[in-house]
Amino acid sequence: MALRKEQGKVANAKVIEQKSQIVSEIKEKFNNAKSVVLFDPRGLKVSEVTELRKTLRESGSDYKVYKNTLTKRAVADSGYELDSYLEGPTAISFSSDELAPVKILSDFAKDHEALELKVGIVEGKLANVDELKKYAAIPSREGLLTMLAGGMIGVVRDLSICLDLYSKEKEQ
């Protein structure tokens, strides 16, 4: 009987150690991520989840599912009030890019009604579903640079036309 109690204590110690490692991992991911998105993947088929994971991985984002209680412990001292969002199945996407996971998950949610966005943390600020949709509408960095270059090319083109006309006028 004493051996059984001792084995139970060892098993409990191992479980506690594993849980504390997971809590530390979650804290680290929250601290290092520029954006975090919590969503409900319930109802997605395995093939759809695989496709979502692949797309997120390609963008440098991470997709994890943790127990809500462990996530609550990890973010308890972070200043974020996420307890109300950590009800039911919750998957979390962490990324070093501010908008990549928001865009990917929003686009995926449009095509797959089963996926439901809950909340996000973008640049250290809590963002509800409506704010996440606004973030998703922002063009990518490359798109913004293309727009800027297009605008600058227009100005340069107009300047060259003006200079050409001015030089032709001076020649006459």
Side-chain angles (χ1 to χ4, degrees):
M1 190 69 154
L3 179 63
R4 195 176 230 175
K5 283 185 180 179
E6 191 168 311
Q7 286 176 340
K9 288 180 184 177
V10 171
N12 286 341
K14 286 181 182 179
V15 170
I16 291 171
E17 177 60 30
Q18 286 175 333
K19 287 183 178 183
S20 67
Q21 286 176 351
I22 292 171
V23 169
S24 297
E25 176 186 329
I26 297 169
K27 277 184 185 179
E28 182 181 333
K29 285 183 181 266
F30 264 92
N31 291 335
N32 294 336
K34 288 188 179 177
S35 67
V36 178
V37 181
L38 280 70
F39 59 98
D40 183 352
R42 198 176 13 188
L44 292 177
K45 297 175 185 170
V46 174
S47 60
E48 294 170 335
V49 171
T50 304
E51 176 187 346
L52 178 60
R53 281 183 191 270
K54 180 182 177 215
T55 307
L56 285 168
R57 194 176 319 113
E58 288 171 353
S59 74
S61 303
D62 195 12
Y63 172 116
K64 290 282 189 176
V65 178
Y66 295 107
K67 289 187 175 225
N68 289 336
T69 53
L70 298 178
T71 305
K72 286 178 185 179
R73 283 185 198 158
V75 298
D77 59 345
S78 67
Y80 299 116
E81 292 295 326
L82 298 178
D83 287 357
S84 61
Y85 301 105
L86 292 169
E87 301 295 328
T90 304
I92 307 172
S93 177
F94 302 96
S95 181
S96 58
D97 185 313
E98 291 89 358
L99 298 178
V102 176
K103 288 176 177 280
I104 291 168
L105 289 166
S106 293
D107 290 344
F108 201 84
K110 288 177 189 173
D111 298 334
H112 304 85
E113 292 180 15
L115 185 119
E116 179 186 331
L117 296 176
K118 292 184 173 186
V119 70
I121 300 170
V122 180
E123 294 183 342
K125 296 176 186 164
L126 209 60
N128 63 26
V129 175
D130 293 331
E131 291 169 330
L132 289 176
K133 288 179 183 176
K134 288 178 186 176
Y135 283 127
I138 296 173
S140 68
R141 182 176 190 276
E142 291 78 20
L144 290 172
L145 290 173
T146 302
M147 287 183 217
L148 177 65
M152 291 172 74
I153 287 172
V155 171
V156 171
R157 185 191 73 233
D158 292 346
L159 178 63
S160 69
I161 290 171
C162 288
L163 291 173
D164 184 51
L165 290 173
Y166 182 73
S167 69
K168 286 180 182 176
E169 185 180 293
K170 285 293 183 180
E171 288 176 1
Q172 292 178 355

